[in-house]
Amino acid sequence: MRIVALAGGIGGARFLRGLREAIGPEDEITVIGNTGDDIHLFGLKVCPDLDTVMYTLGGGIHEEQGWGRTEETWSIKAEMKEYGVGPEWFGLGDRDFATHLVRSQMLTAGYTLSQVTEALCVRWQPGVRLLPMSDDRVETHVRITDEQGTRAIHFQEYWVKLHAAVDAEAIVPVGADTAKPAPGVLEALAEADVILFPPSNPVVSIGTILAVPGIREAVAAAPAPVVGLSPIIGGAPVRGMADKVLAAVGVEATAEAVALNYGSALVDGWLVDIVDEAAVAAVEAGGIACRAVPLLMTDVAATAEMARAALALAEQVRR
């Protein structure tokens, strides 16, 4: 079985760890990773979502944080502060710095982001094929209004520095409209047996991936069933600020609203948590098969059960 998953950061990475446990040794997983969170810092190309997937599946993630390296140290950050060089609000640990240095060196030497990602994964052996959504530069920006007026800021500044304390007025994936899918992305979607939308942020993770011309169309045209898992449980995101960015695109922060925003032309099946069982009828009325199952990723075993439920629903809705 060839499974393709569109994934963002922490939620997507943790789901993929469970998915990997749920499948057989002969099955294959291709991950199309969001690069809209990418940012240039200290002269380095930082790819938070790709790295979170790579570290999580490769056993190097800081489990409590869900991002960054385990057993991290912060000597470089401290030295940068002594020089008065920022930004201080975005922390890169010493081990993490090494990844960004290698990536940036390879990009400067002329390698594509796809080639760099493949090379980095040689060390981590994540057990999946990890593809960036595009080799082209795409950065998600957020329009806000604060004491400085109305302005657009990088998503990382909105989330990490401001902690999403200001309302998001618009989400703009800068560069997405002219970007091309990375090599292998469209082919993976066309050849997939199952396509999954993990419980990643539907706007700034999966939504940004779908904003790259050709990817949404490839998902919609794929012969494989497309099944998503709700990132919203009981009217709130399990982690992160999906409610903030959903409001910016006019979508209510509920399990059914997210499903209907994707739409039946894109998604064939949808899983909601058992606390949202009342949403099943509304989702199915929108033409999307829906089931209520436990969706809290409390451990790898629970996450594997979620993945099995998604794969079972995919079989039920297979076109």
Side-chain angles (χ1 to χ4, degrees):
M1 181 165 54
R2 293 165 296 189
I3 304 167
V4 176
L6 279 60
I10 299 173
R14 288 180 171 173
F15 174 78
L16 290 167
R17 188 161 55 184
L19 175 63
R20 195 177 56 182
E21 292 294 314
I23 63 173
E26 71 285 357
D27 298 325
E28 301 173 354
I29 302 172
T30 297
V31 179
I32 301 173
N34 170 46
T35 60
D37 285 13
D38 291 6
I39 188 170
H40 285 77
L41 295 170
F42 313 111
L44 304 177
K45 169 83 165 178
V46 180
C47 300
D49 283 4
L50 293 179
D51 290 346
T52 296
V53 170
M54 187 173 68
Y55 293 157
T56 300
L57 299 183
I61 199 73
H62 189 300
E63 288 290 347
E64 289 72 27
Q65 291 179 163
W67 54 270
R69 290 288 309 279
T70 186
E71 299 179 355
E72 188 59 279
T73 55
W74 302 89
S75 300
I76 298 176
K77 183 180 180 182
E79 285 297 308
M80 298 295 283
K81 183 177 181 180
E82 290 297 323
Y83 280 114
V85 176
E88 291 184 25
W89 53 265
F90 198 99
L92 295 178
D94 301 334
R95 291 169 178 251
D96 202 23
F97 245 106
T99 298
H100 310 313
L101 282 167
V102 173
R103 176 186 292 116
S104 301
Q105 282 184 323
M106 292 187 69
L107 290 171
T108 300
Y111 292 96
T112 65
L113 183 59
S114 297
Q115 292 169 326
V116 174
T117 303
E118 183 179 5
L120 293 173
C121 284
V122 170
R123 174 189 178 183
W124 290 101
Q125 295 294 307
V128 303
R129 182 188 182 200
L130 178 59
L131 302 175
M133 67 188 194
S134 178
D135 285 338
D136 300 317
R137 184 172 177 173
V138 179
E139 291 185 0
T140 301
H141 288 203
V142 182
R143 192 182 75 211
I144 64 169
T145 299
D146 58 9
E147 64 277 1
Q148 299 181 44
T150 298
R151 57 198 178 101
I153 59 175
H154 194 286
F155 171 73
Q156 296 293 350
E157 182 176 353
Y158 179 72
W159 176 232
V160 180
K161 181 180 181 180
L162 301 183
H163 304 292
V166 182
D167 288 341
E169 299 172 351
I171 309 297
V172 184
V174 178
D177 56 338
T178 57
K180 296 179 181 178
V185 167
L186 299 184
E187 293 82 357
L189 291 168
E191 297 169 1
D193 296 306
V194 178
I195 298 173
L196 298 177
F197 289 3
S200 296
N201 191 300
V203 180
V204 297
S205 292
I206 294 177
T208 302
I209 298 171
L210 295 172
V212 176
I215 295 184
R216 177 182 289 271
E217 294 79 3
V219 172
V226 181
V227 173
L229 297 92
S230 176
I232 304 295
I233 295 179
V238 178
R239 184 183 182 121
M241 28 51 73
D243 51 338
K244 291 281 190 176
V245 293
L246 282 168
V249 298
V251 177
E252 190 178 0
T254 64
E256 63 266 32
V258 173
L260 298 175
N261 185 60
Y262 281 133
S264 60
L266 196 65
V267 175
D268 303 298
W270 188 249
L271 294 180
V272 301
D273 189 78
I274 52 177
V275 303
D276 293 312
E277 189 170 5
V280 170
V283 174
E284 296 204 322
I288 301 171
C290 187
R291 306 287 185 270
V293 300
L295 289 187
L296 285 175
M297 295 187 285
T298 51
D299 53 33
V300 175
T303 309
E305 282 302 308
M306 289 168 50
R308 292 187 186 99
L311 294 174
L313 181 54
E315 285 304 309
Q316 294 172 27
V317 300
R318 188 169 294 282
R319 299 167 182 171

